[in-house]
Amino acid sequence: MIVIFVNIFWPTFALVGLVFVVWMTMFVQRTRHLKRVPPQSGQFATQTSMRQYFEPVEMASNNFTNLFEMPVLYFALVPLLIVTANVNGFQVLLAWLFVLLRIGHSIIHIGPKNVPARFITYLMSTIVLVAMWIGFFVDMVWAAYNYSQAMAAMAG
């Protein structure tokens, strides 16, 4: 039980690592852009003008933002799985699949920018995440049912 419990951490650490790698990529690309094309006065005065300035290196930034959208639901689910003792081999497998798909999505998003491949990878990762949440929901319904049955048997 404890081994499976700990196994949910490894894909989570990998996803956190991806966030930092994408952040570092964004930082390096923006720093190089600042050196190549020094900003003019007022280019950072508004968010719109700043976006226009960084447009040539925007993909890493877009991907970084994206890593705080659907993955937030993953990061919310992991502690729930742990505190309810619902970490199992299937959830760990789905977690790895989700993280690997997110890594693939980031590589495509920042690298070749192949929109159809990026969309398919994003969609598949979302389907995996939905499956993780459905699995957790089913486990919680089953636990509630067993609890109510146990309480009824004790009362009866």
Side-chain angles (χ1 to χ4, degrees), residues 28-121:
V28 167
Q29 287 180 352
R30 283 184 168 191
T31 302
R32 286 179 182 162
H33 184 69
L34 284 164
K35 288 178 183 176
R36 276 193 314 268
V37 184
Q40 303 299 313
S41 177
Q43 279 190 297
F44 291 163
T46 67
Q47 194 172 20
T48 302
S49 63
M50 188 175 80
R51 277 194 198 123
Q52 288 173 342
Y53 174 78
F54 283 117
E55 188 174 357
V57 291
E58 73 180 341
M59 286 309 193
S61 175
N62 292 345
N63 188 256
F64 184 70
T65 299
N66 189 266
L67 287 170
F68 290 94
E69 293 170 355
M70 289 305 278
V72 167
L73 293 173
Y74 171 86
F75 287 124
L77 179 59
V78 168
L80 292 172
L81 290 168
I82 292 167
V83 300
T84 61
N86 279 292
V87 176
N88 58 50
F90 189 63
Q91 286 287 19
V92 171
L93 176 69
L94 289 175
W96 272 117
L97 188 55
F98 175 74
V99 170
L100 291 172
L101 287 164
R102 292 306 308 198
I103 290 169
H105 176 265
S106 292
I107 289 168
I108 295 166
H109 198 174
I110 295 169
K113 300 164 189 62
N114 180 329
V115 174
R118 189 176 89 208
F119 174 74
I120 289 168
T121 315

Side-chain angles (χ1 to χ4, degrees), residues 21-33:
V21 166
V22 170
W23 178 85
M24 183 59 77
T25 301
M26 178 185 70
F27 179 80
V28 167
Q29 287 180 352
R30 283 184 168 191
T31 302
R32 286 179 182 162
H33 184 69

Side-chain angles (χ1 to χ4, degrees), residues 96-153:
W96 272 117
L97 188 55
F98 175 74
V99 170
L100 291 172
L101 287 164
R102 292 306 308 198
I103 290 169
H105 176 265
S106 292
I107 289 168
I108 295 166
H109 198 174
I110 295 169
K113 300 164 189 62
N114 180 329
V115 174
R118 189 176 89 208
F119 174 74
I120 289 168
T121 315
Y122 176 83
L123 181 62
M124 289 171 48
S125 72
T126 301
I127 290 168
V128 170
L129 186 58
V130 168
M132 290 180 74
W133 272 98
I134 289 171
F136 177 66
F137 176 76
V138 168
D139 287 346
M140 290 295 91
V141 168
W142 184 247
Y145 172 77
N146 287 334
Y147 177 76
S148 68
Q149 293 296 93
M151 295 306 288

